[in-house]
Structures are given as C-alpha cells and as structure tokens.
C-alpha cells in the first residue's frame, strides 16, 4: 500500500548495488543503513519490491513483520528469514525504525547453497542459536577487514563463512533435507522450470529436455518438497499469476498471454481450480476492494 492507503500497482525491480567498500558479490547492512539506502535510491521499502539478490535477515532486538509473496511473516528477536532472489517482498517501515538487526545480501552464485523449500522464519535455540550468532559475528568481522588478506582470499573467506551460516540454519528445523548435488534431478528440474515456466506447463516437456522420465522427476520432487512435479510446476505458475494480478494492472488476458496459456479461458480454469476463485475475484480480495 502507498501513502494514504492508496494501492500502488507496481513491483519495483531492485538491482544489486552494494556499498563502495563491499566485497564483490556480498554486502552486510543494518536496518538503519537499509532505510538510508532506500531513501537515497528512491525506493519505498513498504511497497512491493523484487531484488535480484538474496537477503538473510536476522533480528537482534524487537520484532520484524514482513510480507513475502503473499505470506505474512513475523521474525522474532533472535530469528532469521531468507528471502530469495526474485521473490516479491515488503517491509513494515515502522518495524525497521524500532527494530534492530542485520541483513546479509549476496548475488546468486556467490555461494552454492540453495534456498530451503520451506522459507518461513527460523528461531534457533540452544547450540544452533549460539553457533549461528557466532558465525554471523565472524562473517561481519571478516567482511569489514579488507586489509589483512588479498582480495581473492578475502572473498573465499566470506564465501566459506556464509556457507557455514546457511548450513547451520538449514539444520535448525527437525529432519532437514540434505543438500542435493548439482546434477540431482530435482535441482535440474527446478532450474529449468524457473527458466521456462512461462512457456512450458507440462512435466513431460521438462523430462524430455533433461533426459529423465516424468516418474523420475516426480519422485525427486516429492522427496525434496512433498509435492509432485506437476504440483510444483503449477504452484510456480500460480505464484507468478498472483504477482501480476496484485502488483500490476494487467488484465486477466494479459496475464494469460504472459504465462503462456493458449486462451484466457484456459488460464481462468487453471486459476480457479487451484485458487477457488477467478483471477479478478482474487485481485479484488487481495487489494481489499471487496
């Protein structure tokens, strides 16, 4: 929502632009600095934004409310939240001014770790909390120490420490899913889907392109996410449809064409079957117009 409660039908695409002293590919900022950067770049942090880099948000004092792709999150004191590159998210400005915390931002590819399928806030306790906090302090120290090591060694140190931090956090929840190798069928399917979901809606097409059977992709996707390959694909298409419906003024026909449906009626049926209402009904409810 914009000023005076008026709806702002847009998503701000935010490019990676670190501070001048930041190492290549990664930056660390506090909440106060985030507000200052937003003001300098003319970005309304309370409006929908889609950064092309990852955020790892850690709250050290207070509570931070946050919205990520239509899910309202509350990050409590001591909590962590990973917002992936490409996700649409919004801050609550009042919380940023009264809450203290740290945000690690990095470009895709800086580390090999993938976002967890469950990206809800984490609240570590006991050894996990102490280890994560210690690793962040070490990462912050090395980030600020530009003079002790050659640049290549400095970057490698940061990559390793960030990887350790993300690995630690991945084991906060019970029975974490092990990281899949780069050639794992699900990882390859997920990457291909992210690239092509606007033009291909059939699992069989991805299976043929990747050299797997549809059954293999379904087994791999079930193991990684608890959903079938088709459900995972449909959920990604549905999410993009919701983003376009809520954050832009595109018509349902426009959204249908953008997402590769042959006819607007096909898109309407797809959306209603999975969301329980028509695209325009969903838009009206999401914008508070009913």
């Amino acid at each position: 929502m914009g000023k005076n409660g008026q709806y702002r039908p847009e998503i701000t695409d935010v490019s990676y632009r670190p501070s001048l002293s930041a190492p290549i590919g990664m930056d660390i900022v506090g909440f106060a600095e985030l507000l200052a950067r937003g003001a300098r770049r003319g970005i309304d942090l309370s409006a929908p934004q889609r950064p092309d880099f990852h955020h790892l948000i850690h709250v050290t004092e207070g509570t931070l409310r946050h919205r990520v792709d239509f899910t309202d999150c509350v990050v409590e004191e001591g909590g962590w939240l990973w917002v992936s590159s490409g996700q649409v998210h919004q801050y609550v400005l009042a919380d940023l001014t009264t809450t203290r915390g740290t945000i690690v931002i990095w470009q895709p590819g800086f580390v090999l770790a993938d976002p967890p399928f469950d990206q809800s806030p984490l609240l570590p306790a006991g050894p996990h909390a102490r280890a994560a906090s210690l690793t962040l302090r070490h990462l912050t120290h090395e980030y600020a120490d530009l003079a002790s090591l050659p640049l290549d060694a400095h970057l490698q140190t940061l990559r390793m420490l960030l990887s350790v931090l993300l690995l630690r956090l991945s084991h906060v929840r019970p029975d974490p899913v092990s990281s899949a190798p780069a050639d794992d069928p699900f990882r390859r399917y997920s990457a291909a889907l992210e690239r092509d979901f606007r033009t291909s809606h059939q699992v069989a097409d991805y299976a043929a392109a990747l050299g797997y059977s549809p059954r293999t992709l379904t087994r791999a996707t079930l193991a990684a996410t608890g959903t079938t390959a088709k459900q995972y694909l449909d959920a990604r298409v549905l999410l993009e449809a919701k983003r376009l419906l809520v954050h832009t003024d595109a018509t349902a026909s426009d959204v249908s064409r953008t997402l590769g449906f042959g006819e607007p009626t096909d898109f309407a049926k797809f959306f209603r079957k999975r969301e329980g209402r028509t695209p325009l009904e969903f838009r009206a409810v999401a914008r508070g117009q009913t």
Side-chain angles (χ1 to χ4, degrees), residues 153-233:
H154 181 60
L155 291 174
Q156 186 67 6
T157 300
L158 296 180
R159 288 191 179 99
M160 289 181 174
L161 286 170
L162 179 55
S163 297
V164 169
L165 177 58
L166 297 175
L167 181 61
R168 261 292 176 182
L169 293 175
S170 74
H171 285 264
V172 170
R173 292 190 175 93
D175 302 321
V177 177
S178 299
S179 296
D183 60 350
D184 175 77
F186 171 70
R187 285 189 62 176
R188 294 187 65 202
Y189 173 54
S190 180
L193 185 154
E194 190 62 31
R195 183 183 64 243
D196 298 331
F197 73 88
R198 296 175 183 83
T199 56
S200 179
H201 301 166
Q202 301 301 320
V203 173
D205 294 339
Y206 293 94
L210 296 172
Y212 299 116
S213 69
R215 183 175 296 181
T216 295
L217 288 186
T218 290
R219 282 199 303 265
T221 307
L222 276 169
T225 70
T227 65
T228 68
K230 178 59 174 171
Q231 289 170 333
Y232 185 75
L233 169 56

Side-chain angles (χ1 to χ4, degrees), residues 2 40 46 50 123 126-127 161 191 212 219 265:
R40 287 197 297 269
S46 67
R50 178 162 38 203
L123 186 60
L161 286 170
Y212 299 116
R219 282 199 303 265
T265 53

Side-chain angles (χ1 to χ4, degrees), residues 1 24 56 82 90-91 99 106 123 134 137 156 161 166 172 177-178 203 207 220 232 251 253 255 279 282:
M1 302 291 287
I24 300 170
L56 182 63
W82 183 340
Q90 299 168 254
Y91 292 92
T99 304
W106 69 97
L123 186 60
L134 178 62
R137 288 201 301 273
Q156 186 67 6
L161 286 170
L166 297 175
V172 170
V177 177
S178 299
V203 173
Y232 185 75
T251 66
S253 294
V255 175
F282 170 81

Side-chain angles (χ1 to χ4, degrees), residues 241-248 250 255 267 271 279 282-283 287:
K242 288 180 177 180
R243 288 172 173 172
L244 293 170
L245 287 166
V246 174
H247 300 307
T248 78
V255 175
F267 169 63
F271 193 95
F282 170 81
R283 168 182 275 169
R287 292 186 178 184

Side-chain angles (χ1 to χ4, degrees), residues 201 251-268:
H201 301 166
T251 66
S253 294
D254 292 336
V255 175
S256 173
R257 284 191 296 272
T258 299
L259 295 179
F261 287 88
E263 296 291 339
T265 53
D266 296 334
F267 169 63

